[in-house]
Amino acid sequence: MKSKLTIFLFSLCFPGFAGAQQTKINLSTATGRLCFEVTYKGEPTISSSPLGMNIDNIDLGKSVEIKSVEQTDAEYKTYTIEKKDGDIYHLDIREFDNGIALRYRIPSTGSRCVYGEETSFTFPAGTRVWYASGPFQYGWIQAYQDRTTDKIENELLAPPATFRLPNGTYAAITEANLFNFHGAVLFGHKNNRVQLGYVDNKGHLETGIITGIPASKYWHEEVRNSPWIVSPRNGSKEIITPWRILMLSENLDGLVNNRIIAQVSDQPERTLFPEGKDTQWIKPGRSVFTWLVEGENRLSVETHKRYVDGAAELGLESVVVDDGWELWPKTEKNANGRTKWELLKELVDYARSKNVDIWVWRPSSPRYGNKSDVGLLDADERNNFMKRCAEIGVKGLKIDFFHTENLFTVNFMENILKDAAKAHLMVIFHGVNKPTGDSYTYPNLLAKEAVRGLESVGGENNWAPGPPWPYHNTVLPFTRWLAGPADYTPLNFRQFCPPSVTFTHQLASIYTFTSPMLIFAADMEDMLACPGRMFIEEVPVTWDQTKILKESRIGELAALSRRKGDIWYLSILNGEKAVTQEIELDFLPKGNYRMTYASDDGENRKKIVINNRKIKSGKTLKIKLLSGGGYLAKFEKTDK
């Protein structure tokens, strides 16, 4: 009763605050357990659910009362929670129109042991949920499930998981501002409840190797809620958890355009990034790599020069040199005693003459079965490597094989980003955890893989299990991409194009699976000869506006419109069922348009047809889509 009275009096003191946000949280300690409820637009959304952390084997949400509440601004409140023994901690809550964020701040002068977390979300019966059944960072499992919340007991739900409530409201759960803490997953429980928790790779725990790719037998082996140690960060006197985020929207468009992660993430450090994301040396762009292309010499210097030539012709900004370049002194016929750095500089200089940048790959840590590369764990090794890359003109790094989001690895990734920023190097992470807003704090991080992309084609029945690709691809925009850009490495017309999707689906995917570092996986000859080459040449990597069309259905159809300047694009990926789909062009501003579009050629799954027509905004397109088919269109406004 005392806690509810405190909140009531608080609302009276700040009348402009009451009802200010469309999403509201109500806290309660009526049973001695700290719980919360959420309403969205006045409707119950999350019923009474527990809060708290298990620290040093003490449940911080049990036997407590709300001591006080402080308003920071119209959306931000801090509750001071007191246990019976007098210990206190703080619960920060932010209420937005489209969701909530909460985090714990626990006073501490030393190390504490985390045994688990009580934070849970209880959904209405009949809520539908789409989720990956394995954490992204443990190999390549991303087998998306489509269930109801009463059938997820003991399931692991990799954030972000997406929910649709019986009243049609969409929700998603993830975390943000993950620094100096262990990344979280979700566990399914009875009675439509999901609970945050922690997962470690069994190989790391058994071998004592705390980070990096373990032996293959451990790739998909997880251990739940193994205790771990955390200390205050940077001389602080409190332990701060990441923000636990609940996104809410009445439709998929609002869900995809949710900005809570950006709103709660720490701002960039100005000494590293003077102009934030617009810092001069940070340049998003399109790229290509040779890892998935055909040919015995796909990793050679000459092949990379050929890809530089093709990138220059297509107007792509860079070429990524993947695993294997460090062996060039042994594999290159014309090495003539030169070091890997001398050979890399030759390629960088050649690319520079074509106005193309070079990125290079490096493992984060020693790989199981490969002791020739010590990785970047050692600070001196890391800084020397980055300094050498910067000196010869490399612009970015692709760092691979983290395979965990334990606290050590989270801090390790942050150190990489800091040191890369000092050397003016951009970064993408592979074999890594989900994005958590880290690219807002460190804008030199352009993307994190954390997705079952084209590299997994061919491994569906063994090392990269997952659902059919048409289903997978029509789930991703409404799940994984909610957390931030991924490195799916889209676009392939050969062995890494799944037979279940068409070539037009492949082409449209580069407009759907967008990223500030958009790396194509296609053979250069195929891109240069592609009927839809114009779409490859001009695809933006940052957008002014994105709209999810109302015709979209998770796992069945992903229909997106995107705007860059005055030009609109329509990208459609179809699921497993062939359909004739009507698409309303109500996303276009009023006027007449020239429409250039790519479609499948009848039943020919390996042919892209390009056509043009004039059309008015507000009209309806009638599109025949094959199973796994696709459609891509460009709209340019005309006078007539």
Side-chain angles (χ1 to χ4, degrees):
M1 184 67 183
K2 179 181 177 181
S3 62
K4 290 188 176 180
L5 178 61
T6 302
I7 298 168
F8 173 70
L9 292 174
F10 172 78
S11 298
L12 291 179
C13 294
F14 299 95
F17 177 79
Q21 307 297 334
Q22 294 190 58
T23 307
K24 303 296 294 181
I25 293 182
N26 178 48
L27 294 189
S28 172
T29 59
T31 63
R33 152 64 63 185
L34 182 62
C35 294
F36 76 111
E37 299 172 341
V38 177
T39 60
Y40 175 59
K41 296 187 175 181
E43 294 290 324
T45 301
I46 302 296
S47 58
S48 184
S49 302
L51 290 168
M53 301 286 299
N54 190 329
I55 304 290
D56 295 334
N57 233 355
I58 299 173
D59 185 349
L60 298 187
K62 189 176 180 180
S63 301
V64 300
E65 66 174 357
I66 300 173
K67 193 69 173 176
S68 65
V69 57
E70 178 184 352
Q71 177 187 3
T72 302
D73 56 37
E75 68 183 29
Y76 202 139
K77 291 181 286 187
T78 295
Y79 294 84
T80 298
I81 313 297
E82 184 177 47
K83 292 187 63 61
K84 280 188 175 180
D85 61 8
D87 284 348
I88 65 167
Y89 64 93
H90 307 288
L91 176 64
D92 294 330
I93 289 181
R94 297 183 68 174
E95 296 171 321
F96 302 90
D97 281 339
N98 54 1
I100 61 104
L102 62 89
R103 69 178 181 183
Y104 305 92
R105 291 187 290 113
I106 304 163
S108 180
T109 57
S111 299
R112 308 289 292 273
C113 186
V114 179
Y115 284 81
E117 183 166 344
E118 300 301 320
T119 310
S120 300
F121 299 83
T122 305
F123 287 90
T127 295
R128 194 172 174 183
V129 57
W130 293 266
Y131 64 93
S133 56
F136 300 132
Q137 66 272 23
Y138 303 143
W140 298 266
I141 290 183
Q142 203 176 55
Y144 273 98
Q145 307 294 310
D146 176 359
R147 302 189 185 185
T148 54
T149 48
D150 60 350
K151 296 180 180 178
I152 58 172
E153 185 178 1
N154 296 321
E155 281 288 291
L156 187 155
L157 297 76
T162 297
F163 304 80
R164 190 176 70 200
L165 282 63
N167 67 0
T169 297
Y170 284 93
I173 299 174
T174 190
E175 64 179 337
N177 222 44
L178 171 60
F179 297 111
N180 194 48
F181 213 77
H182 197 305
V185 297
L186 296 166
F187 299 127
H189 292 278
K190 293 179 180 179
N191 301 322
N192 305 288
R193 182 169 66 92
V194 295
Q195 178 179 354
L196 273 86
Y198 310 97
V199 174
D200 288 284
N201 184 277
K202 186 176 181 180
H204 292 149
L205 296 180
E206 290 193 354
T207 65
I209 299 173
I210 197 167
T211 190
I213 187 169
S216 59
K217 69 178 182 178
Y218 293 120
W219 282 355
H220 307 311
E221 294 293 321
E222 67 195 39
V223 177
R224 301 185 180 190
N225 284 330
S226 177
W228 51 278
I229 303 295
V230 61
S231 301
R233 186 183 188 190
N234 298 335
S236 169
K237 293 184 179 180
E238 59 182 4
I239 294 167
I240 304 175
T241 73
W243 290 98
R244 279 68 182 93
I245 290 176
L246 173 68
M247 304 178 185
L248 294 167
S249 176
E250 57 190 6
N251 54 43
L252 288 173
D253 181 53
L255 193 68
V256 168
N257 283 292
N258 191 289
R259 295 282 297 163
I260 292 179
I261 292 177
Q263 290 170 289
V264 302
S265 294
D266 288 344
Q267 293 298 304
E269 184 180 328
R270 291 295 168 171
T271 56
L272 294 176
F273 308 102
E275 287 83 40
K277 67 180 179 59
D278 298 319
T279 297
Q280 187 176 9
W281 52 269
I282 299 175
K283 298 178 180 179
R286 299 152 303 161
S287 189
V288 64
F289 76 150
T290 67
W291 187 251
L292 301 184
V293 306
E294 295 181 349
E296 294 182 0
N297 298 316
R298 61 191 173 92
L299 301 177
S300 69
V301 174
E302 285 306 310
T303 295
H304 281 92
K305 286 183 177 180
R306 183 164 56 85
Y307 273 68
V308 166
D309 294 340
E313 186 173 341
L314 291 170
L316 308 184
E317 286 78 10
S318 66
V319 171
V320 177
V321 183
D322 216 286
D323 187 7
W325 72 273
E326 67 277 11
L327 300 178
W328 278 346
K330 296 180 181 179
T331 59
E332 286 296 304
K333 295 180 181 179
N334 298 318
N336 298 324
R338 287 180 291 171
T339 67
K340 64 182 181 182
W341 292 108
E342 291 171 322
L343 291 164
L344 181 60
K345 187 176 186 304
E346 177 187 325
L347 176 61
V348 170
D349 291 344
Y350 181 83
R352 185 185 295 113
S353 72
K354 304 281 185 173
N355 201 30
V356 174
D357 291 332
I358 294 295
W359 287 53
V360 297
W361 179 95
R362 183 83 189 266
S364 64
S365 50
R367 288 173 285 168
Y368 182 83
N370 183 337
K371 297 181 180 180
S372 63
D373 193 327
V374 298
L376 300 174
L377 285 168
D378 180 79
D380 289 338
E381 170 69 23
R382 184 167 65 244
N383 284 303
N384 289 336
F385 172 74
M386 292 178 178
K387 180 181 178 181
R388 195 69 181 271
C389 285
E391 286 175 347
I392 67 173
V394 169
K395 299 299 182 183
L397 306 176
K398 176 181 177 180
I399 311 299
D400 205 347
F401 297 138
F402 294 92
H403 287 262
T404 178
E405 57 181 344
N406 59 31
L407 184 149
F408 177 88
T409 304
V410 167
N411 288 344
F412 176 33
M413 289 189 289
E414 185 177 14
N415 288 334
I416 290 175
L417 293 173
K418 285 181 179 178
D419 291 341
K422 294 172 185 176
H424 291 187
L425 291 170
M426 295 173 283
V427 177
I428 56 173
F429 285 145
H430 259 236
V432 71
N433 70 322
K434 62 192 176 293
T436 58
D438 27 9
S439 60
Y440 294 109
T441 307
Y442 293 94
N444 60 329
L445 176 62
L446 299 192
K448 297 173 86 170
E449 182 186 23
V451 71
R452 179 175 173 261
L454 291 191
E455 288 189 55
S456 299
V457 173
E460 294 87 346
N461 296 322
N462 42 71
W463 59 272
W469 288 96
Y471 170 79
H472 180 71
N473 289 351
T474 51
V475 170
L476 288 177
F478 315 114
T479 50
R480 165 60 185 83
W481 251 263
L482 299 180
D487 187 18
Y488 182 99
T489 57
L491 197 65
N492 192 277
F493 302 115
R494 301 193 187 187
Q495 63 178 326
F496 288 94
C497 173
S500 56
V501 304
T502 68
F503 279 11
T504 309
H505 184 111
Q506 285 284 309
L507 184 63
S509 72
I510 69 176
Y511 284 76
T512 300
F513 301 142
T514 187
S515 171
M517 181 61 174
L518 188 59
I519 304 174
F520 303 138
D523 292 69
M524 183 56 70
E525 299 85 349
D526 297 344
M527 287 192 287
L528 293 172
C530 180
R533 172 173 164 172
M534 61 163 278
F535 287 106
I536 301 172
E537 292 176 326
E538 63 185 53
V539 58
V541 295
T542 58
W543 295 90
D544 298 321
Q545 190 174 0
T546 293
K547 292 184 178 182
I548 305 301
L549 305 191
K550 60 181 178 293
E551 294 85 356
S552 293
R553 302 178 296 278
I554 301 178
E556 298 178 29
L557 186 80
L560 300 78
S561 61
R562 299 190 192 271
R563 179 179 64 84
K564 186 70 173 181
D566 295 328
I567 299 176
W568 282 89
Y569 295 88
L570 169 65
S571 175
I572 300 176
L573 303 182
N574 191 36
E576 296 179 87
K577 184 179 179 180
V579 296
T580 298
Q581 180 68 50
E582 292 187 348
I583 298 290
E584 294 184 24
L585 300 182
D586 53 0
F587 61 87
L588 292 173
K590 186 177 180 180
N592 299 309
Y593 291 84
R594 172 182 171 83
M595 173 182 168
T596 304
Y597 61 98
S599 60
D600 294 315
D601 182 23
E603 298 299 320
N604 188 342
R605 305 180 64 81
K606 295 186 177 183
K607 187 175 181 181
I608 299 171
V609 178
I610 303 296
N611 285 295
N612 298 281
R613 62 177 289 193
K614 294 180 179 179
I615 198 165
K616 290 185 176 180
S617 59
K619 294 293 185 179
T620 299
L621 295 176
K622 194 172 185 178
I623 304 170
K624 181 181 178 181
L625 294 165
L626 301 175
S627 170
Y631 189 86
L632 181 61
K634 175 184 180 182
F635 298 90
E636 299 170 279
K637 204 166 188 180
T638 62
D639 294 332
K640 295 182 180 180

